[in-house]
Amino acid sequence: MKRVKLWDKEFEVSYPNQQIVAAVKDMAVKMKKDLEGKEPLFLCVLNGCFMFAADLLKEVELTDAEVSFVKLASYEGTQTTENIKQLIGLNEDIKGRTVVIVEDIVDSGFTIANLIDQVTERGAADIKVATLLYKPKALKKDVTVDYVGLEIPNDFIVGYGLDYDGRGRNLKDIYTLVP
Ligand code: HPA
Ligand code: MG
């Protein structure tokens, strides 16, 4: 299997690009069917989502949808002990709307739970979550994920948008850390 070295660590291909693309196409078929006529707003979570969102949304191909990008920034407040993340880049009024959060990965579930809370607070009527990768064994929060590309073991991965300390995002395949 093909290997790459990123900084001090070795990674081995675990999901080749054609397997990812097939999973993304399957998701897109389901999403298109579900979301037709709902005028959804796709809220894509940077940085990790960039490759997945591009491939997914080309396939979903709805004409009554909008696409926006957000980021979760570490909150420089007084509550340094709490992992509060500020949602930045959401300029749309989402009151009463169908919002589809597009994530690269749901791991512990803390990030997605936080996002769902913030999107709920802003008045979205219906929130769906689409994630390329899902680690059920890593989940520590009770969250519902509506569309999943690949269920994966609880190993550290990189590629196709996901990074190890800033590197690996641009790789077209997904690699797993070699212990
Ligand atoms: N790799 C990279 N980024 C991540 C992961 C992972 O396995 N889980 C959550 N963020
Ligand atoms: Mg992410």
Side-chain angles (χ1 to χ4, degrees), residues 19-38:
Q19 189 181 346
I20 302 167
V21 168
V24 171
K25 284 191 175 160
D26 285 347
M27 290 178 86
V29 169
K30 290 193 201 97
M31 291 172 72
K32 186 171 183 178
K33 216 185 277 171
D34 285 4
L35 298 165
E36 202 112 58
K38 294 194 170 164

Side-chain angles (χ1 to χ4, degrees), residues 11 104-108 111 133 135 152-159 161-164 169 175:
F11 295 84
D104 52 349
I105 187 162
V106 172
D107 191 303
S108 66
T111 301
L133 300 153
K135 291 185 185 173
I152 61 168
N154 194 6
D155 300 319
F156 189 78
I157 52 163
V158 294
L162 291 105
D163 73 306
Y164 165 52
R169 285 197 204 279
Y175 297 73

